[in-house]
């Protein structure tokens, strides 16, 4: 199988990155992780890039035009898909426009509910009966692009932010790879 080159953007722990690295080792998984981009030099997730000898780039988003340089690097690496995995910086309209609909993100809620940050505390406060996670295309509006995959679970009385995060992330490790397969199978 000819794999497409992908780039994963992270800012923190990188557990989704770790999972995608493992999955991308499968012969039939459609992407090869060619590059990892990180906007935080202290991100723990960088360890997975090092351990797996995947090239990584620490970017300084304070530099004017950093996205311009980034686009150039992505082009040079023939990147067909960008997967945001806990990337905490908003991409500009221009960047999104230039990269077309080839950027996807994973969000820890059942979108369109609970866009933005602090999802678990907001889910608990609003006494939802269900929550989950969503993989979606990135559009100019935050957490609003077309949904690719979504999975949910019922919330227990004993759940708290920590348990919701654990349960959500467990589902994330399932749906992110599934969504990537879906993208390349059905476009
Ligand atoms: C994930 O839970 C994802 O939903 C959100 O950020 C978190 C990143 O976690 N966008 P990790 O860095 O993959 O562990």
């Amino acid at each position: 199988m000819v794999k497409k080159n992908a780039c994963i953007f992270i800012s923190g722990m990188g557990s989704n990155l770790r999972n995608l690295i493992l999955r991308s080792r499968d012969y039939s998984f459609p992407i090869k992780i060619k590059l990892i981009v990180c906007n935080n030099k202290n991100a723990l997730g960088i360890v997975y890039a090092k351990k797996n000898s995947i090239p990584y780039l620490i970017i300084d988003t304070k530099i004017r035009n950093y996205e311009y340089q980034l686009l150039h690097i992505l082009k040079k690496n023939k990147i067909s898909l960008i997967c945001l995995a806990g990337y905490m910086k908003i991409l500009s309209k221009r960047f999104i426009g230039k990269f077309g609909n080839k950027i996807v993100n994973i969000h820890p809620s059942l979108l369109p509910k609970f866009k933005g940050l602090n999802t678990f505390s907001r889910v608990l406060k609003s006494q939802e009966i269900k929550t989950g996670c969503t993989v979606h295309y990135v559009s100019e509006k935050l957490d609003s692009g077309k949904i690719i995959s979504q999975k949910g679970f019922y919330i227990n009385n004993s759940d708290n932010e920590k348990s919701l995060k654990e349960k959500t992330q467990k589902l994330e490790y399932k749906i992110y790879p599934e969504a990537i397969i879906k993208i390349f199978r059905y476009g």
Side-chain angles (χ1 to χ4, degrees), residues 12-17 85-87 105-108 169 172-173:
M13 292 299 290
S15 66
N16 278 283
L17 165 68
Y87 183 65
N105 180 42
I106 186 146
H107 184 77
Q169 287 207 314
E172 289 184 350
Y173 306 148

Side-chain angles (χ1 to χ4, degrees), residues 120-121 123-125 128-131 153-168:
F120 306 120
S121 63
V123 163
L124 288 171
K125 255 188 214 141
E128 295 289 311
I129 52 166
K130 246 186 133 180
T131 189
F153 60 90
Y154 287 98
I155 301 172
N156 296 327
N157 284 339
S158 58
D159 271 321
N160 52 36
E161 283 185 43
K162 188 170 173 271
S163 68
L164 286 190
K165 184 176 174 181
E166 278 167 12
K167 291 178 190 177
T168 303

Side-chain angles (χ1 to χ4, degrees), residues 107-123:
H107 184 77
S109 79
L110 292 173
L111 290 174
K113 286 185 167 181
F114 305 103
K115 296 174 183 177
L117 297 174
N118 306 317
T119 49
F120 306 120
S121 63
R122 287 189 287 137
V123 163

Side-chain angles (χ1 to χ4, degrees), residues 14-29:
S15 66
N16 278 283
L17 165 68
R18 178 175 176 268
N19 181 54
L20 291 176
I21 292 173
L22 290 175
R23 287 301 305 270
S24 66
R25 287 189 189 144
D26 294 353
Y27 167 77
S28 59
F29 197 65

Side-chain angles (χ1 to χ4, degrees), residues 57-101:
L57 186 68
I58 308 283
I59 54 167
D60 182 353
T61 56
K62 284 190 209 90
I63 294 178
R64 230 181 109 242
N65 267 346
Y66 79 93
E67 283 188 338
Y68 182 79
Q69 292 167 21
L70 194 53
L71 279 167
H72 178 71
I73 293 167
L74 295 170
K75 199 170 171 197
K76 223 173 96 190
N77 281 278
K78 298 191 168 67
I79 300 298
S80 310
L81 182 73
I82 294 176
C83 301
L84 307 183
Y87 183 65
M88 299 304 284
K89 177 90 190 162
I90 291 177
L91 296 166
S92 72
K93 285 182 186 167
R94 191 175 160 271
F95 185 94
I96 296 168
K98 286 256 178 215
F99 216 79
N101 64 346

